[in-house]
Amino acid sequence: MGKLLYGAKVAEALREETRVEVGTLSEQHGIVPKLVAILVGDNPASRTYVGAKRRACEAVGIASETVQLASDITTETLLEVVQNLNRDPVVDAILVQLPLPSHVDKVAVLNAVEPAKDVDGFHPVNVGRTCINSAGVAPCTPAGIVELLKRYRVRIAGARAVIVGRSDIVGKPLALLLLHEHATVTVCHSKTKDLPKQTQRADILVGAMGKPAFIRGKHIRKGAVVVDVGVNRVDSRKEVLKLFGKQGKESRERLKRFDEKGYVLVGDVHPREGKAKARSITPVPGGVGPLTVAMLVRNTLTLAKMRRGPGQAAAARR
């Protein structure tokens, strides 16, 4: 049975470190970092995500604000909102909560965020900086995964890392971050031939394609470290039994949760087969998810220090 890598524990440590730094920045230099989230429409999931991010900020002393906008807003009006936040000197970090309504030009909106305030690291300028390893902040989920591996003392340098999934949000930036840590990286996707042959070579295997329990035991080399990025809803009790079995503590807990909520969350890695083959594996939930919010808070602090920290203020006076 693989050891569980609890992202929630690492996230808690990151939040405490951030809280201490924010306190020092505020007490010694009078600077309170501020994050503004832009929420368009009334998507319940988006409201939940933004609320969690706001509470995480407040817990460490970071100011936060949500700009709630109507779902029928035009791209032009939304761009004006972004530009106003770009010009606001007390706003350090801007988050555009996705998804945006289909009629809004998502690329134009994301690219309008000032790179120095781009908390997600999605702006092309910041993507380029990530590529050459000079970024102030990196995308939250990939950065959180690297932090998780380091804090659990997983050896990255020299390791063979295989990422299944090539999204702009996780797969691609994670490949760059692992390369910067001196791993040998392979990125697999839907067109990869003989996927098990590729994944079986991995010392570190990352599932990030958004398909429930897609990665099976046949994909995992015995003793590999497995990072499961996926968060997928399973709405069938029969499927829950198939994934977790009919006996055992975890099966009973998952079935109880299903009976209470009508669904359970599973990752991109088959839960039983992944644990049976991996040396270490992240659970779902409680693995990668908490790290994303913790790194968002950390990125907000980093952007504030880069924009108006004591060193920046001294440089501006010269």
Side-chain angles (χ1 to χ4, degrees):
M1 182 67 71
K3 172 186 176 182
L4 294 179
L5 305 177
Y6 289 105
K9 291 183 179 180
V10 175
E12 183 179 353
L14 283 167
R15 286 193 298 270
E16 178 57 21
E17 292 164 12
T18 303
R19 185 189 66 78
V20 172
E21 272 197 72
V22 169
T24 300
L25 194 64
S26 175
E27 292 168 9
Q28 296 185 4
H29 306 287
I31 297 169
V32 178
K34 182 174 181 179
L35 169 74
V36 175
I38 298 174
L39 180 59
V40 180
D42 198 33
N43 183 300
S46 293
R47 284 204 318 273
T48 299
Y49 295 146
V50 168
K53 293 165 185 175
R54 185 184 67 251
R55 291 190 296 273
C57 284
E58 293 169 353
V60 301
I62 289 176
S64 65
E65 178 184 335
T66 300
V67 177
Q68 176 76 58
L69 301 168
S71 59
D72 60 353
I73 192 170
T74 64
T75 298
E76 291 72 23
T77 302
L78 183 50
L79 288 172
E80 290 177 10
V81 173
V82 172
Q83 294 299 346
N84 287 335
L85 294 174
N86 285 338
R87 289 189 289 265
D88 191 332
V90 301
V91 175
D92 298 295
I94 300 170
L95 165 71
V96 179
Q97 181 63 44
L98 302 177
L100 293 172
S102 59
H103 69 274
V104 172
D105 187 338
K106 180 183 76 171
V107 173
V109 172
L110 293 178
N111 288 353
V113 176
E114 176 67 35
K117 296 187 178 188
D118 171 30
V119 75
D120 279 317
F122 291 163
H123 193 284
V125 168
N126 289 330
V127 172
R129 288 171 177 164
T130 297
C131 188
I132 63 173
N133 200 22
S134 69
V137 298
C140 300
T141 300
I145 290 169
V146 173
E147 196 70 35
L148 174 79
L149 294 173
K150 287 182 175 180
R151 298 205 180 206
Y152 272 100
R153 301 186 183 279
V154 175
R155 183 172 174 269
I156 303 176
R160 292 168 295 185
V162 177
I163 302 167
V164 185
R166 54 178 168 177
S167 73
D168 294 335
I169 295 173
V170 179
K172 292 177 185 176
L174 178 58
L176 291 169
L177 295 184
L178 291 174
L179 277 173
H180 298 327
E181 296 293 334
H182 310 296
T184 300
V185 182
T186 300
V187 179
C188 299
H189 46 79
S190 59
K191 304 300 183 184
T192 298
K193 294 181 179 179
D194 197 357
L195 182 62
K197 181 179 180 180
Q198 299 297 328
T199 58
Q200 278 278 351
R201 301 166 59 194
D203 301 307
I204 301 170
L205 177 61
V206 181
M209 78 296 296
K211 294 184 178 180
F214 177 84
I215 294 179
R216 307 293 297 265
K218 68 179 181 180
H219 295 98
I220 303 169
R221 182 179 63 78
K222 186 72 173 177
V225 174
V226 178
V227 178
D228 192 348
V229 182
V231 181
N232 309 288
R233 282 178 60 137
V234 174
D235 301 312
S236 163
R237 200 174 198 276
K238 182 179 179 181
E239 188 65 20
V240 174
L241 285 168
K242 183 178 177 181
L243 290 172
F244 295 97
K246 298 180 180 179
Q247 297 180 344
K249 180 181 178 181
E250 184 171 16
S251 177
R252 291 193 297 271
E253 290 176 350
R254 295 284 182 154
L255 286 171
K256 180 181 178 182
R257 196 169 303 164
F258 179 86
D259 292 337
E260 290 173 348
K261 296 186 175 182
Y263 68 92
V264 296
L265 297 177
V266 300
D268 290 352
V269 180
H270 192 288
R272 283 186 297 150
E273 296 180 13
K275 290 177 183 176
K277 293 289 290 290
R279 170 167 61 91
S280 304
I281 188 169
T282 58
V284 177
V288 173
L291 291 164
T292 301
V293 177
M295 291 307 301
L296 178 89
V297 173
R298 186 77 187 176
N299 281 357
T300 300
L301 169 63
T302 299
L303 292 176
K305 290 165 64 177
M306 290 174 64
R307 285 187 60 252
R308 53 193 180 112
Q312 294 300 316
R317 289 194 293 270
R318 289 198 293 267

